[in-house]
Amino acid sequence: MNQPPKKYSYYISFDTQIFLSAKELLKSMPTFYNRVYFSIKYARAIWSGDIEDTFTNITLLTESANMASLRQIIKNNFLYINEWDSSRYTDKADYGFSFIAGNVKFVLMPFDEIEEGYYVRSYDVDTGNCYDTRLSCDKKYFLSTSVNDTGEIIRICDFNLEYMTDANTKVERAPKKAEQQQMVTFTPNSGYAFINLIAVMLLTLVSVATVYISYYIVSSGLS
């Protein structure tokens, strides 16, 4: 059974301004920022900047092929949380990971293109569950890249957690990876060495005792 996640400090609820500030932190990692898409639920906040809204986390999506390099970038910037990474628990597939930046929780989900649309994987660090979601959609509108009035490139993915239903999503608790067990063995030579060590110590003690007794007898005779 997976252990409950450790407690980390981050906002459990935050407004648009905090969201935009956290987004700026991602922009300080341009390689990372340019390979992720924001969930469509953040589109209005990103475009207007003054919309009043409340969030609990920020959902990001990326092509599965990017996961290894993006994970390494997060590690290099000291934002990585081992307990929040699906790769710690399962070898089946990469279900993404979560991290904290600007006191905001980010959830990164990988996706792949399939015949009828897209396949999205995700990992919930609070429940320890892995989710496989198959989305039937018009591929032309799933990903969009545009430029706002300030010249900022905006990448949006037409995906929201509310799109995950019992009909299109399979849920499985992430199995804990089998840990390698180390067995300590002694070779015959090491066993003999250990026995020889004990024998030497006993002989030393006997020799010391013999010397002490002899000294005592000699001293008594002289007296």
Side-chain angles (χ1 to χ4, degrees), residues 27-40:
K27 291 175 66 176
S28 68
M29 302 179 289
T31 302
F32 183 95
Y33 186 77
N34 292 331
R35 293 182 182 176
V36 298
Y37 295 83
F38 288 88
S39 167
I40 195 171

Side-chain angles (χ1 to χ4, degrees), residues 31 80 175-176:
T31 302
Y80 181 74
K176 188 71 177 290

Side-chain angles (χ1 to χ4, degrees), residues 86-155:
S86 67
S87 65
R88 182 189 183 196
Y89 300 103
T90 177
D91 292 316
K92 292 177 57 179
D94 196 331
Y95 286 82
F97 61 92
S98 297
F99 62 95
I100 299 172
N103 294 321
V104 169
K105 178 182 177 182
F106 287 85
V107 182
L108 181 60
M109 303 178 179
F111 66 82
D112 292 288
E113 184 176 347
I114 56 178
E115 184 176 354
E116 68 269 25
Y118 287 88
Y119 191 81
V120 181
R121 294 185 178 90
S122 56
Y123 173 65
D124 187 336
V125 301
D126 296 318
T127 63
N129 290 336
C130 292
Y131 297 84
D132 294 275
T133 304
R134 300 179 71 91
L135 295 175
S136 298
C137 62
D138 190 335
K139 297 179 183 179
K140 293 186 298 182
Y141 303 107
F142 186 71
L143 303 175
S144 65
T145 301
S146 54
V147 180
N148 64 12
D149 294 337
T150 63
E152 180 182 3
I153 297 176
I154 307 298
R155 293 178 176 82

Side-chain angles (χ1 to χ4, degrees), residues 3-206:
Q3 295 296 319
K6 295 180 180 179
K7 301 298 182 181
Y8 295 94
S9 298
Y10 60 93
Y11 296 119
I12 59 174
S13 179
F14 52 93
D15 60 21
T16 301
Q17 293 309 309
I18 291 178
F19 161 68
L20 295 177
S21 296
K23 182 174 67 69
E24 290 301 309
L25 288 179
L26 294 191
K27 291 175 66 176
S28 68
M29 302 179 289
T31 302
F32 183 95
Y33 186 77
N34 292 331
R35 293 182 182 176
V36 298
Y37 295 83
F38 288 88
S39 167
I40 195 171
K41 69 180 294 183
Y42 312 111
R44 291 194 308 157
I46 294 176
W47 273 99
S48 66
D50 58 358
I51 190 76
E52 292 296 329
D53 210 339
T54 302
F55 310 97
T56 57
N57 56 57
I58 299 177
T59 303
L60 305 172
L61 295 99
T62 190
E63 291 87 349
S64 293
N66 294 331
M67 286 301 300
S69 60
L70 297 188
R71 181 180 278 106
Q72 189 59 51
I73 291 172
I74 293 301
K75 290 181 178 180
N76 293 344
N77 284 272
F78 307 102
L79 301 174
Y80 181 74
I81 300 175
N82 185 47
E83 294 84 3
W84 285 12
D85 191 345
S86 67
S87 65
R88 182 189 183 196
Y89 300 103
T90 177
D91 292 316
K92 292 177 57 179
D94 196 331
Y95 286 82
F97 61 92
S98 297
F99 62 95
I100 299 172
N103 294 321
V104 169
K105 178 182 177 182
F106 287 85
V107 182
L108 181 60
M109 303 178 179
F111 66 82
D112 292 288
E113 184 176 347
I114 56 178
E115 184 176 354
E116 68 269 25
Y118 287 88
Y119 191 81
V120 181
R121 294 185 178 90
S122 56
Y123 173 65
D124 187 336
V125 301
D126 296 318
T127 63
N129 290 336
C130 292
Y131 297 84
D132 294 275
T133 304
R134 300 179 71 91
L135 295 175
S136 298
C137 62
D138 190 335
K139 297 179 183 179
K140 293 186 298 182
Y141 303 107
F142 186 71
L143 303 175
S144 65
T145 301
S146 54
V147 180
N148 64 12
D149 294 337
T150 63
E152 180 182 3
I153 297 176
I154 307 298
R155 293 178 176 82
I156 299 295
C157 178
D158 186 15
F159 176 83
N160 197 348
L161 295 179
E162 284 71 19
Y163 294 176
M164 299 168 61
T165 66
D166 293 339
N168 65 14
T169 302
K170 295 181 180 178
V171 184
E172 178 185 6
R173 188 164 182 80
K176 188 71 177 290
K177 278 185 178 179
E179 297 181 356
Q180 292 184 343
Q181 295 184 349
Q182 293 184 347
M183 182 178 296
V184 179
T185 59
F186 293 96
T187 62
N189 290 337
S190 64
Y192 290 138
F194 182 70
I195 294 173
N196 290 338
L197 176 61
I198 294 177
V200 170
M201 292 177 64
L202 289 174
L203 288 174
T204 301
L205 290 174
V206 171

